[in-house]
Amino acid sequence: MALDRWIALVILMISLAYGYTAFFTMDEGLPPFMKFNAIWPSTFPKGLSVMAVICALIILLSPQKADAGPKAGDIDYRRLLDYKLGQATALLAMMVLYALALRPVGFLIATVGFLVISAMILGERKLRILIPIAVLAAGVVWYLVQQVLGIYLRPLPFFLGTGG
């Protein structure tokens, strides 16, 4: 079985479990007044699980093409160790560290650090270009979320007096 079909099978299993939770267990604790609403907290998870099951089944049940070998740009799962797994693992670790650093460090510092270090992991070495772009990107996103959408995002660490 091809790699895309294995991934579709895993997504199918996860979305079936997610759908079971959404359809049968999420709405049990709803207060009585919410049961008359048109949209419940489980509405989006129900739709998402149904769409994921449909997409996974389309991939699993579609006719398989004759294998003419990997084309240029395709990932060959038999040669998985030839790829840059260290960079991929480092980026995943950076994502986890970013999520853990958001509250104590603040959005701006955590985002700038994540963007700079991640770009360096991927091979960028021009810090004179990288740092200003990361600062500008973090500032624009913070401004849009904070001022335009009205969602409070702590920009700096709490000890700098930015609220707690």
Side-chain angles (χ1 to χ4, degrees), residues 120-141:
M120 290 177 71
I121 289 171
L122 291 174
E124 181 60 49
R125 298 291 180 246
K126 297 177 184 174
L127 290 178
R128 66 183 185 283
I129 297 171
L130 181 61
I131 292 174
I133 289 175
V135 169
L136 181 67
V140 167
V141 170

Side-chain angles (χ1 to χ4, degrees), residues 80-89 122:
L80 200 57
L81 296 177
D82 294 344
Y83 298 109
K84 297 181 179 182
L85 294 178
Q87 281 183 341
T89 306
L122 291 174

Side-chain angles (χ1 to χ4, degrees), residues 22-23 26-28 30-46:
F23 277 97
M26 282 181 95
D27 298 328
E28 290 176 358
L30 281 178
F33 70 90
M34 286 189 73
K35 293 187 179 183
F36 296 111
N37 289 344
I39 297 177
W40 291 10
S42 66
T43 302
F44 181 71
K46 286 176 183 176

